[in-house]
Amino acid sequence: MDRYARWNALLELLAESGRVTVEDAAERLDVSQATIRRDFDQLAQQQMITRTRGGAVANGVSYDLPLRYKTAKHSAEKQRIGEAAATLVEPGTVVGLNGGTTMTEVARALAVRPDLNASGDGAQLTVVTNALNIANELLVRSRMKIVVAGGVVRPQSFELVGPLGGALLKEVTLDIVLLGVDALDVELGAAAHHEGEAAMNSLMVARAKRVVVIADSSKLGGHAFARICPIGKVQTLVTDSGAAPGVIEAIRDAGVEVICA
């Protein structure tokens, strides 16, 4: 297990329990206590945890891990979701993408579709995104037209938030938005951990003719801090086959088409 994978695991342990000792963390991750102490010290220096005598306690940021520290959790599922979501995009259309690990897989799947990278008139795909890493994925792999919303960068997600980006989004029309979310619930709708990201995502929803939520099964039936939109605004959900049947049934009953990759 490399350093970033350990950090991710430690932060997840802290998110679950709020507190963990050096001894317990070393046993659960099967590494030495000296390694755990160094990891705790480095995470504390970045203000991601609070160091205590013999262990550590969680900071609020532990629930919204910086993207660069996230391991490929549910990576196989996210790759399948990305490939399934990419099939919903038609050549020559305008598509909105936000950020996140699952959306990175969506961008990669879009980038390798030859029909979306044609140079003929009217065939080129236009992508509008507020995520710097998504723009980079597409720029280095494709010939698409990339439009990046302005704003202030959130280091946790590489997403741009704030009124600068909102001003641009209010002036465009999206044929389809592929929206990564932190939670989707029939009663609470789609939501994100950060209110700035939720506001940008909500603008994308408002400017889109079709809204497709992209979420692995761990995000379904849960809740997050800031609402993006009610379930009635969502036409399609792309998820994985690990979702509980009851949750899927409730989402379908709400009028949402569900695609299980």
Side-chain angles (χ1 to χ4, degrees):
M1 184 182 293
D2 63 24
R3 179 178 60 176
Y4 287 166
R6 288 198 313 273
W7 288 6
N8 183 79
L10 288 170
L11 289 167
E12 288 187 345
L13 285 175
L14 285 164
E16 292 171 2
S17 61
R19 178 184 300 270
V20 67
T21 66
V22 170
E23 292 81 1
D24 184 43
E27 182 178 351
R28 295 184 67 169
L29 272 61
D30 195 25
V31 296
S32 70
Q33 293 185 20
T35 296
I36 295 298
R37 289 190 186 94
R38 285 195 299 270
D39 288 341
F40 279 165
D41 289 342
Q42 290 168 335
L43 289 170
Q45 287 173 7
Q46 298 185 54
Q47 299 182 338
M48 297 175 70
I49 66 171
T50 299
R51 195 75 163 87
T52 63
R53 184 178 180 85
V57 296
N59 286 350
V61 75
S62 298
Y63 297 91
D64 188 13
L65 307 183
L67 191 65
R68 65 188 183 278
Y69 296 141
K70 289 184 179 179
T71 59
K73 188 176 182 181
H74 307 298
S75 58
E77 292 89 343
K78 290 180 179 181
Q79 186 173 5
R80 291 197 300 272
I81 290 170
E83 292 170 352
T87 66
L88 302 177
V89 176
E90 298 291 334
T93 56
V94 181
V95 56
L97 303 175
N98 64 341
T101 54
T102 308
M103 293 307 300
T104 300
E105 296 299 335
V106 174
R108 289 170 178 168
L110 290 172
V112 298
R113 274 185 55 183
D115 60 326
L116 299 181
N117 288 284
S119 56
D121 292 340
Q124 187 180 43
L125 189 73
T126 298
V127 175
V128 179
T129 184
N130 70 318
L132 296 177
N133 65 309
I134 297 297
N136 182 67
E137 286 283 348
L138 294 171
L139 281 170
V140 300
R141 297 165 182 257
S142 72
R143 298 173 61 184
M144 301 172 188
K145 178 180 179 181
I146 312 298
V147 180
V148 180
V152 179
V153 181
R154 286 201 72 231
Q156 284 86 352
S157 64
F158 303 139
E159 288 185 76
L160 296 154
V161 300
L164 293 175
L168 180 142
L169 290 176
K170 290 175 183 177
E171 300 300 323
V172 302
T173 299
L174 307 174
D175 293 302
I176 183 172
V177 60
L178 305 179
L179 196 70
V181 303
D182 292 316
L184 180 68
D185 179 78
V186 170
E187 297 296 329
L188 301 176
H193 289 311
H194 189 266
E195 67 279 3
E197 291 178 6
M200 294 291 282
N201 295 343
S202 183
L203 280 173
M204 287 188 179
V205 169
R207 304 307 298 166
K209 298 176 184 177
R210 182 183 181 187
V211 177
V212 178
V213 166
I214 313 296
D216 66 66
S217 56
S218 68
K219 308 287 180 63
L220 304 183
H223 65 275
F225 173 67
R227 193 186 201 192
I228 297 169
C229 68
I231 195 75
K233 292 285 187 179
V234 180
Q235 283 80 46
T236 306
L237 165 67
V238 183
T239 187
D240 60 76
S241 58
V247 173
I248 294 296
E249 183 179 359
I251 292 172
R252 285 194 170 120
D253 288 344
V256 179
E257 173 193 20
V258 179
I259 299 172
C260 292

